[in-house]
Amino acid sequence: MTQTLDSPTAAEGRSQAGAAFDRLLETVRGRRAEFEEKRHVPRDVIAEFKKAGIYRAGVPKRFGGDALSPAEFLHLVERISVVDGSAGWVASFGSSAIYLTALPLETQALLYADGPDVAFAGGLFPVQPAQRVENGYRVSGRWRFASGCKGADVLGVGIKSGADHSGRPLTAVLRPDQVEIIDNWDVIGMRGTGSHDLVVDGAVVPEEWTFVRGGEPAVDEPLYRYPTVPYAAQVLAVVGLGVARAALDHVIAQGGRSGYTGAPKPAERATYRIAVAQAEAQLRSVRAFFYETTEEVWATVEAGDPATPEQASLLRLASAHLARTTFEVVRAAYQLGGIGAIADGSPLQRYLRDASVVPQHAFLQEGMYDGAGAVLMGVQPFPGYL
């Protein structure tokens, strides 16, 4: 007998999923210092991500996945990022299963043969030349910024060989034993993401295990009609939203505490109250724009229509603006924290470091405003924007 959404079985499933997610948040809260120290999220925590449904969120329903709507998944990443930005960044790549839908259906069936909870990570750039061999490619090279690579079940790298596909590189999918991870993630922010380099030396990848990132999906479900590259920007931008929420909540809570000098409590100062209120308004406003745009585009693709270039551009604009604004909010919170914010024991210095990374990503830099402005005014944006 088919169960409805409101059936006891469905309700029990939602309750179990919620409990697993709550346990994940507690795990992240208890081990976030470990992520920073080790510079990656360990595999046993990735296993908790899987139990909470993070890695099945972007997997097609036909292969047992949840194929969550973008807003649903973004909310999950946001909540994790409130607890720890690095964990949120790694969790965001649960969405990368949407890229894998460009693989042949037979390949996807093999990929998910043991279940939909498959962690995929990769380094697409710099794209490396690959030698064409019988039924595939011989792959060698070094790639950067493979976030979450130490906990991945499969890894992807960017390759080119002969004629390309509309200027977009192929991604070759490999097993972890075919890839060497170069432990070189020495950075100031998002230290726990494990965004190390990948090295491959002559591995042969069958053609059916390659795909064009953002290429035509082999699965016809609403999620895979949602604009792929703008979604990739969204899942990263929303990490900054979570970090900013945590930073602002911290300075609000600190407002009732006395300072070192015996001066009035922060909450008793008009300048502190004004700054907190302005930051709150900034954060809520940019969050509303971000999710409003997400829901509008989702309604379009769920109805069976393709997203328009204007809609895809608004997603990119909302993401870049979110990344920039949330960094501004965190910077304001850091300044409100006063001299205590500089201590290693203060969470504000970690929030500032992590938030500073988000608008540095290529998908979220200042140039996105140029592309969005071009689309709004009906002129051609820079190559690769849409």
Side-chain angles (χ1 to χ4, degrees), residues 184-214:
N184 65 342
W185 186 237
D186 298 313
V187 291
I188 190 170
M190 295 292 180
R191 288 176 174 169
T193 63
S195 305
H196 302 293
D197 286 8
L198 305 180
V199 171
V200 180
D201 185 14
V204 174
V205 180
E207 186 163 8
E208 62 269 23
W209 284 92
T210 66
F211 64 90
V212 176
R213 183 182 183 186

Side-chain angles (χ1 to χ4, degrees), residues 44-125:
D44 66 310
V45 180
I46 296 298
E48 295 299 314
F49 279 41
K50 290 179 179 180
K51 291 177 184 176
I54 298 301
Y55 290 105
R56 65 173 58 203
V59 175
K61 292 182 178 180
R62 69 179 293 164
F63 296 116
D66 292 337
L68 293 182
S69 73
E72 289 177 293
F73 183 70
L74 291 166
H75 281 299
L76 295 179
V77 175
E78 180 186 356
R79 289 181 61 192
I80 295 170
S81 302
V82 171
V83 181
D84 181 63
S86 289
W89 192 271
V90 172
S92 76
F93 290 97
S95 67
S96 61
I98 64 174
Y99 299 139
L100 298 170
T101 60
L103 290 167
L105 287 175
E106 297 80 5
T107 304
Q108 293 183 58
L110 290 172
L111 180 64
Y112 301 120
D114 294 326
D117 300 301
V118 174
F120 174 66
L124 187 61
F125 299 105

